[in-house]
């Protein structure tokens, strides 16, 4: 539901489906980190992210040892270094399976448009950012990330990706493409998920080359799997109403309850009120800490 180490989840996923990923203790020095990345065959640029994180906070693309040292100095807990996946597209797939069944279902698909500006040959990246409310809300962080480069004027028609990962809180636009769901994709995702022990409800975030290839189980990589605390992110499509979002959340909470009840009968205890309260307090504290990152 929350506060789970990401590495523990990656360890449950068959390695052929995920990027090469290693966990780094916060106290590890730069030389040891570089040695570990070399041994894992992870090369610059790569992705760094908190081992325990949320909402895409603290995730960054690292291009060299200087940026890696800066990242290490800023983060206060253990973090992950992950191979950069260069497939151009990202999708969120919500998957549900009842514990007594061998075949689950996909309940929602969301395509993600990365936060991007397009040059016109006269305005700087900074001006372009200010022209779009979605990017303007990210301006403080983008200034930190790009420094003086933010004053660069892009050639007419050239697109520049400001945030190269699909996080709604980092500015990505989410588009509901559930209507494109097909049997091949359902079978592909089900074959993966039945191999992940104890996974019955949650969202897979996947980078992929093309939708047809993803449906066939080709040219994709699972960036993350999120469990009971994840949302059906198709609710964030700007074309959907608040009532649609409420309906989708209630539908998924009902499914989560039904799965939990079955697992309870199998001897898996419910989260106690006290445990849930402590988890929420810890999650709120972590979010506040990562927002300062």
């Amino acid at each position: 539901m929350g506060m789970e180490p990401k590495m523990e989840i990656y360890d449950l996923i068959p390695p052929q489906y995920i990027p090469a990923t290693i966990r780094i203790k916060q106290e590890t020095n730069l030389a040891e980190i570089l040695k570990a990345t070399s041994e894992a065959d992870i090369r610059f640029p790569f992705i760094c992210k908190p081992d325990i994180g949320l909402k895409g906070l603290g995730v960054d693309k690292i291009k060299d040892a200087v940026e890696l040292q800066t990242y290490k100095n800023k983060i206060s807990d253990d973090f992950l270094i992950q191979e950069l996946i260069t497939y151009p597209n990202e999708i969120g797939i919500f998957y549900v399976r009842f514990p007594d069944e061998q075949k689950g279902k996909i309940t929602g698909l969301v395509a993600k448009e990365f936060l991007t500006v397009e040059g016109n040959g006269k305005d700087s990246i900074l001006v372009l950012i200010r022209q779009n409310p979605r990017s303007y809300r990210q301006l403080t962080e983008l200034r930190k990330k790009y420094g003086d480069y933010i004053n660069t004027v892009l050639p007419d028609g050239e697109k520049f990706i400001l945030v190269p990962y699909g996080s709604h809180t980092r500015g990505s636009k989410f588009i509901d493409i559930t209507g494109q769901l097909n049997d091949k994709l359902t079978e592909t995702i089900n074959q993966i998920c039945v191999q992940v022990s104890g996974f019955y409800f949650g969202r897979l975030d996947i980078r992929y080359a093309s939708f047809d290839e993803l449906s066939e189980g080709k040219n994709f990589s699972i960036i993350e799997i999120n469990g009971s605390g994840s949302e059906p992110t198709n609710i964030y499509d700007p074309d959907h109403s608040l009532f649609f979002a409420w309906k989708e959340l209630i539908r998924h909470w009902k499914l989560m309850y039904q799965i939990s009840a079955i697992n309870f009968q199998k001897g898996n205890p419910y989260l106690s009120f006290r445990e849930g309260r402590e988890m929420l307090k810890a999650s709120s504290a972590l979010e506040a800490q990562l927002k300062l990152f």
Side-chain angles (χ1 to χ4, degrees), residues 84-217:
L84 177 67
I85 299 300
T86 57
Y87 293 131
N89 305 303
E90 186 169 333
I91 191 171
I93 301 177
F94 211 101
Y95 175 84
V96 175
R97 178 167 63 91
F98 288 98
D100 293 324
E101 297 178 353
Q102 285 300 307
K103 187 171 183 179
K105 61 182 179 180
I106 293 172
T107 59
L109 298 175
V110 60
K112 304 179 182 184
E113 288 186 0
F114 304 133
L115 189 64
T116 302
V117 292
E118 183 173 341
N120 56 18
K122 56 183 180 180
D123 291 324
S124 67
I125 293 174
L126 176 59
V127 171
L128 297 173
I129 289 171
R130 286 173 168 163
Q131 291 173 353
N132 182 349
R134 188 176 292 275
S135 56
Y136 183 66
R137 288 177 177 270
Q138 306 291 326
L139 182 55
T140 300
E141 295 305 315
L142 294 172
R143 281 184 182 275
K144 293 178 184 178
K145 175 67 176 175
Y146 292 110
D148 290 340
Y149 187 75
I150 205 168
N151 296 309
T152 301
V153 175
L154 298 175
D156 188 30
E158 180 177 316
K159 292 184 178 181
F160 179 69
I161 298 176
L162 298 166
V163 182
Y165 22 82
S167 169
H168 191 255
T169 54
R170 302 287 294 274
S172 286
K173 182 179 179 180
F174 285 9
I175 302 171
D176 189 349
I177 58 168
T178 307
Q180 298 182 32
L181 179 60
N182 58 66
D183 292 340
K184 287 183 179 179
L185 180 60
T186 299
E187 182 60 28
T188 292
I189 298 303
N190 190 70
Q191 287 179 359
I192 296 169
C193 291
V194 294
Q195 299 178 64
V196 182
S197 178
F199 179 59
Y200 302 109
F201 178 97
R203 191 187 70 249
L204 297 85
D205 294 328
I206 297 176
R207 294 293 291 257
Y208 65 101
S210 73
F211 191 80
D212 287 342
E213 288 177 303
L214 173 61
S215 298
E216 295 283 352

Side-chain angles (χ1 to χ4, degrees), residues 149 247 250:
Y149 187 75
K247 182 179 178 180
I250 291 169

Side-chain angles (χ1 to χ4, degrees), residues 43-49 59-72 79 81 84 145 165 293:
R43 306 176 187 277
F44 291 113
F46 50 62
I47 296 296
C48 284
K49 62 176 73 172
V59 179
D60 209 351
K61 180 180 176 181
I62 305 298
K63 72 174 186 293
D64 56 33
V66 174
E67 288 192 354
L68 178 58
Q69 183 67 63
T70 300
Y71 185 93
K72 179 189 174 304
F79 62 97
I81 293 179
L84 177 67
K145 175 67 176 175
Y165 22 82
F293 178 84

Side-chain angles (χ1 to χ4, degrees), residues 222-238:
I222 300 172
I223 304 302
E224 284 194 358
I225 288 183
N226 300 276
S228 299
S230 57
E231 300 166 312
T233 47
N234 57 314
I235 65 175
Y236 294 116
D237 186 319

